[in-house]
Amino acid sequence: MQTGVPIATTSGITRVAVAPEMGNPSSSETPNTVQRIGVPREVFPGEKRVATVPDVVGKLIKLGFTVSVESGAGDAANMSDDAYRAAGATVVEGAAQLWASSDIVFKVRAPTAEEVALMHEGSTLVSFIWPAQNPELLKQLAARKVTVLAIDALPRTLSRAQKMDALTSQAGVAGYRAVIEAANAFGRFFSGQITAAGKVPPAKVFIAGAGVAGLAAIGTAASLGAIVRANDTRAEVADQVVSLGGEFVKVEYEEEGSGGGGYAKVMSEGFQQAQRAMYAKQAKDVDIIITTALIPGKPAPKLITAEMVKSMKPGSVIVDMAAEQGGNCELTEPGQAVVKHGVTIVGYTDLVSRLSTQSSTLYATNLFRLAEELCKTKDGIINVNMEDDAIRGLTVTKEGNITWPPPAPKLPAAPAAPAVKPAAVVAKPKGGHGQSSAPASGTRTAVMFGVAALLFWLIGASAPKEFLAHFTVFVLACFVGYMVVWNVKPALHTPLMSVTNAISSIIAIGALVQISPIAGAVDRPDELIRWVAAAGIVLTAINMFGGFAVTQRMLAMFRK
């Protein structure tokens, strides 16, 4: 026997969601009706995030969906039930009612066995699934004949998929929080200070792994004033480390470390030995180590040995961001912060959840962008298009069939090779005996200087002395200006040009002379010249003050 659950929609019309019988799952909606997105409360211990936030609920409704949220789902992320109601969502009491009435379920953590049992045939789940690590979960979901989109399986190499990339958004939050946890456990300032009580040296931070989380940690630690060093197996991230204020520490071993999908690969034993030697050296010198190394589908590599921990200074801190996958440090205890050999080892597995409001907002935005791709018609009905590389990569089960792993994404066709033009036949100069007719570069330069010298002589022979003085200053100014700009870093060209532009506005003095003639002069300038000079003063003043203002704002971008 089936029971009908009345649910009030945002349009004021009451619809009945049918709860399926045990062992007889059925969809609560026909394929042609508006689909309902359900957001349950996360049941994973310590998980504070929620899959959507009130600010995003309104955007989902504009796509045509109706939205239900389980009561209390957003409490840990500071999202009240009243806020969801105000945004247009329906607040549902109890997980069973929410799962039964939802056509699409947005979640953060992978569903438990109890939650899988609540799903009905034909529904769709969007969540972190980690299909490589959870093959049994895939079988359970397939048995329920549901469609599952694993947000962690998104092909990250597709540029159009970046707006849906929840792994990146959550890793950025985790990297920031790792530095905050390190600062909390560290007994000193991050930035160096000179006070009446003495000099405080800056903290030294070493970050192992410069992926998204690592780069976020580098930027945060550098902004707090620490001396930041980082290492990664991928040499191409060195410039990114430097741009964020860090120093890239290179392993003295040549091997390419880029893996598929933007991840690092497992390195050779020779490289790993050289890497361990470098880590051992850094461990003795730095105050804080933050490790971020993960390889998809495999346990976290052990980078920091017990001997390295023993060699660190008392009061040092290690934040192991890979603790949930076993940890990068041999002494890490997942979920705990412990002190061993005088070193605090932070192995929290809920770094992202400790910033639940921010991480929930970013995650909700990722899922909304995915909903836009699934519902391009904005009619409240999703279309899991298996011809779309991004959607195909996400889909791990489709209507009960396991579709993971996906096929390799289609590569764009290589551009056609340009037609080879026949080589031009160079005619020999007459009487040249095969020698080139083009003058040598040295001869060309000598001719140019000779012509320039002749022009200067002609000007000097016929021009008045006053003109020669101004002309000499003009030539020298051009030469000095060229040399100054040529020897400045390209990144500083714009602020340099703005300030030199402001300084060059000395022309305002000439305009002032025209407006106020020298005392004792008989002739006074006519009104036209005075008005032109006044306009020149106004424009030059804008140029001067504006140039300095732009310079200050741009130079501020290059300061810590």
Side-chain angles (χ1 to χ4, degrees):
M1 181 176 178
Q2 295 176 332
T3 58
V5 181
I7 301 174
T9 64
T10 55
S11 60
I13 301 174
T14 301
R15 60 189 279 270
V16 175
V18 181
E21 291 184 5
M22 185 66 69
N24 182 26
S26 61
S27 175
S28 62
E29 298 271 60
T30 60
N32 294 325
T33 58
V34 170
Q35 294 179 314
R36 177 171 292 274
I37 295 175
V39 181
R41 187 172 187 170
E42 297 296 325
V43 297
F44 189 87
E47 182 57 69
K48 299 179 181 178
R49 289 174 290 176
V50 63
T52 197
V53 299
D55 288 343
V56 174
V57 166
K59 298 177 182 179
L60 293 171
I61 292 174
K62 288 181 179 179
L63 288 179
F65 300 104
T66 55
V67 182
S68 294
V69 180
E70 183 182 350
S71 179
D75 287 350
N78 301 312
M79 314 285 179
S80 67
D81 290 349
D82 290 339
Y84 283 108
R85 290 191 186 97
T90 302
V91 177
V92 177
E93 294 291 340
Q97 181 178 344
L98 180 111
W99 284 86
S101 61
S102 301
D103 308 294
I104 308 161
V105 176
F106 282 179
K107 265 184 61 59
V108 179
R109 292 276 184 171
T112 62
E114 292 77 11
E115 289 176 320
V116 172
L118 295 174
M119 299 186 70
H120 57 78
E121 182 179 342
S123 60
T124 300
L125 172 66
V126 182
S127 174
F128 281 102
I129 299 294
W130 306 107
Q133 292 94 323
N134 297 303
E136 288 302 319
L137 176 60
L138 281 187
K139 294 178 182 178
Q140 294 174 19
L141 291 167
R144 302 298 294 181
K145 296 184 179 180
V146 297
T147 298
V148 179
L149 304 182
I151 197 68
D152 50 274
L154 180 74
R156 303 174 77 183
T157 54
L158 299 176
S159 59
R160 57 180 285 266
Q162 292 178 0
K163 61 185 179 181
M164 302 177 280
D165 191 355
L167 281 175
T168 294
S169 66
Q170 302 303 287
V173 175
Y176 174 88
R177 184 69 190 195
V179 177
I180 301 303
E181 294 295 341
N184 180 57
F186 190 50
R188 295 193 285 108
F189 293 141
F190 261 49
S191 61
Q193 297 186 20
I194 299 177
T195 69
K199 182 179 179 181
V200 179
K204 295 179 181 178
V205 180
F206 177 73
I207 297 172
V212 176
L215 292 173
I218 292 168
T220 305
S223 67
L224 290 176
I227 297 173
V228 184
R229 303 167 188 164
N231 168 261
D232 196 279
T233 58
R234 297 161 293 183
E236 64 267 21
V237 304
D239 290 340
Q240 300 176 41
V241 171
V242 174
S243 69
L244 290 171
E247 174 192 350
F248 187 79
V249 183
K250 192 175 183 298
V251 177
E252 297 300 327
Y253 193 97
E254 294 298 330
E255 183 176 349
E256 175 55 41
S258 296
Y263 295 96
K265 70 173 185 180
V266 178
M267 307 300 288
S268 67
E269 182 58 32
F271 182 92
Q272 292 180 33
Q273 289 181 1
Q275 187 182 53
R276 283 192 290 269
M278 184 269 291
Y279 283 164
K281 181 179 179 181
Q282 292 296 323
K284 294 178 182 178
D285 184 48
V286 301
D287 304 299
I288 296 167
I289 295 177
I290 299 175
T291 64
T292 71
L294 281 174
I295 298 174
K298 297 185 179 181
K302 299 300 181 184
L303 304 179
I304 308 299
T305 64
E307 291 299 322
M308 295 180 194
V309 176
K310 290 180 182 179
S311 70
M312 296 181 71
K313 293 174 284 188
S316 298
V317 178
I318 296 174
V319 179
D320 194 339
M321 294 183 63
E324 192 167 3
Q325 302 299 325
N328 297 135
C329 177
E330 288 183 347
L331 303 181
T332 296
E333 295 184 13
Q336 303 293 325
V338 297
V339 178
K340 297 184 178 181
H341 307 295
V343 177
T344 302
I345 304 173
V346 179
Y348 296 147
T349 58
D350 60 346
L351 289 173
V352 180
S353 193
R354 288 171 180 254
L355 283 173
S356 56
T357 303
Q358 182 66 75
S359 54
S360 296
T361 301
L362 294 174
Y363 184 65
T365 302
N366 294 140
L367 296 193
F368 164 68
R369 296 302 182 189
L370 173 59
E372 283 184 321
E373 293 294 319
L374 294 171
C375 184
K376 294 182 178 180
T377 54
K378 298 184 179 180
D379 57 358
I381 302 174
I382 65 170
N383 174 30
V384 182
N385 181 12
M386 300 296 274
E387 298 299 320
D388 185 314
D389 283 345
I391 303 303
R392 177 63 187 88
L394 286 169
T395 307
V396 294
T397 71
K398 178 73 181 295
E399 299 173 353
N401 299 313
I402 296 178
T403 59
W404 192 88
K410 300 174 184 177
L411 298 176
V420 179
K421 296 181 179 179
V425 179
V426 180
K428 294 182 180 180
K430 296 180 181 179
H433 301 286
Q435 298 177 357
S436 173
S437 61
S441 58
T443 305
R444 187 185 303 114
T445 302
V447 171
M448 290 175 60
F449 273 102
V451 172
L454 178 62
L455 289 175
F456 284 140
W457 181 82
L458 292 175
I459 293 172
S462 57
K465 294 181 180 180
E466 294 80 3
F467 175 81
L468 286 177
H470 292 301
F471 184 71
T472 302
V473 172
F474 171 75
V475 172
L476 291 175
C478 290
F479 176 75
V480 172
Y482 173 80
M483 295 303 296
V484 167
V485 175
W486 183 262
N487 291 289
V488 169
K489 291 183 178 180
L492 294 174
H493 277 177
T494 302
L496 173 69
M497 292 305 295
S498 62
V499 71
T500 52
N501 197 25
I503 295 173
S504 68
S505 296
I506 198 73
I507 193 172
I509 296 176
L512 288 172
V513 171
Q514 291 297 326
I515 290 179
S516 302
I518 301 174
V522 178
D523 296 331
R524 295 181 60 85
D526 57 31
E527 290 300 316
L528 177 61
I529 294 177
R530 298 186 67 179
W531 281 110
V532 170
I537 291 175
V538 173
L539 296 175
T540 305
I542 296 173
N543 193 37
M544 292 171 64
F545 292 106
F548 284 117
V550 170
T551 300
Q552 290 302 317
R553 292 191 63 179
M554 296 200 66
L555 289 178
M557 298 169 60
F558 296 89
R559 302 190 185 104
K560 278 190 176 183

